[in-house]
Amino acid sequence: MNFTSNKPIYKQIIDYSFNQIVTGMWAPGQRVPSVRELSVQLSVNSHTVLKAYEYLQAEEIITPKRGMGFYLSADALEHVNHAMREEFFETTLKDMFRDMRLLNISIDEIVNHYKQTEADGE
């Protein structure tokens, strides 16, 4: 966790969870770390982890099993991809377009850099 970031810690935990899911570290149907386990692992308050887990549960990314903890839903990756794409288009891309205007960078320059990156295999 980046404790100096302007982004709230619970949102950083959500991002961490998303990363675990998209990289396959947390697989569908698998038990995810308990609130206590994750709070110790990330060195944050358990109430903060619980707030992140409440969001993940509301978005149907994790589901509780009574007495057994939280499990990743079968379609968690789809939910996460949707949320990450939404965040990308609403925040990241808007910021990038603003920077492009400020730096007078054309969309053609971006496309050329993208193509070169793809050609280089990065």
Side-chain angles (χ1 to χ4, degrees):
M1 298 297 94
N2 181 356
F3 297 106
T4 59
S5 170
N6 289 334
K7 190 172 214 177
I9 299 297
Y10 86 95
K11 287 187 177 181
Q12 292 182 49
I13 295 168
I14 292 167
D15 291 345
Y16 170 83
S17 301
F18 282 5
N19 186 59
Q20 295 297 100
I21 294 164
V22 298
T23 60
M25 298 298 292
W26 293 359
Q30 174 187 349
R31 182 183 169 277
V32 300
S34 70
V35 170
R36 183 177 298 172
E37 290 167 344
L38 196 58
S39 69
V40 168
Q41 179 183 340
L42 300 178
S43 300
V44 297
N45 187 295
S46 60
H47 293 289
T48 308
V49 174
L50 182 60
K51 185 173 182 177
Y53 273 22
E54 287 171 349
Y55 168 85
L56 296 173
Q57 188 176 352
E59 294 298 315
E60 299 177 353
I61 295 167
I62 62 173
T63 56
K65 291 189 180 180
R66 181 172 232 121
M68 298 176 64
F70 290 98
Y71 287 77
L72 204 59
S73 67
D75 56 355
L77 183 57
E78 294 163 22
H79 289 288
V80 169
N81 280 336
H82 175 77
M84 290 179 76
R85 286 175 60 87
E86 197 171 278
E87 170 80 15
F88 175 79
F89 285 113
E90 290 180 9
T91 304
T92 307
L93 203 56
K94 279 185 181 179
D95 292 344
M96 187 180 94
F97 287 154
R98 183 197 67 236
D99 291 345
M100 286 172 62
R101 280 190 301 276
L102 292 172
L103 299 170
N104 197 29
I105 297 172
S106 72
I107 195 72
D108 291 333
E109 289 178 86
I110 296 295
V111 169
N112 289 334
H113 278 276
Y114 175 79
K115 288 178 181 177
Q116 184 60 49
T117 301
E118 287 295 303
D120 292 342
E122 294 178 6

